[in-house]
Amino acid sequence: MSSEGFLKEMQTIGEKFLLKLQKLPKADPVEIVSFCVVLLFIVTVLLLMIIACSCCCYSCCSCDGHPDHRRRKIQVRPIAH
């Protein structure tokens, strides 16, 4: 997908989201609850991705950005007889 196509798609999704938010005060309670559940799911997934990326970066790099070679795991191989 080209960057123009991606930007167009993001703009379309944003417009649909704003339209949904504008109609939300007039919506029935079931639609409001379902919208909140979907929104909570999206926020949870994004938060978990951020946590996973930060844990991954922290485990392979120290705080100053240099790799910490002491934390690397060493594989133990059986002795061949």
Side-chain angles (χ1 to χ4, degrees):
M1 177 181 266
S2 67
S3 62
E4 292 177 12
F6 179 74
L7 290 175
K8 182 84 170 171
E9 187 69 27
M10 291 303 293
Q11 182 180 5
T12 304
I13 291 171
E15 289 173 357
K16 287 181 183 178
F17 183 72
L18 286 176
L19 184 64
K20 192 67 147 174
L21 281 177
Q22 290 173 350
K23 291 182 180 180
L24 203 57
K26 301 173 192 168
D28 55 335
V30 174
E31 191 173 355
I32 293 172
V33 169
S34 64
F35 181 76
C36 290
V37 167
V38 169
L39 195 62
L40 181 66
F41 175 75
I42 292 171
V43 168
T44 303
V45 168
L46 290 175
L47 183 66
L48 289 175
M49 284 177 45
I50 290 170
I51 291 171
C53 289
S54 64
C55 289
C56 180
C57 290
Y58 182 76
S59 68
C60 68
C61 300
S62 61
C63 293
D64 58 355
H66 295 88
D68 189 7
H69 297 293
R70 294 174 292 170
R71 292 184 139 201
R72 193 184 314 172
K73 294 181 180 177
I74 300 172
Q75 286 186 333
V76 178
R77 297 183 182 168
I79 300 173
H81 291 282

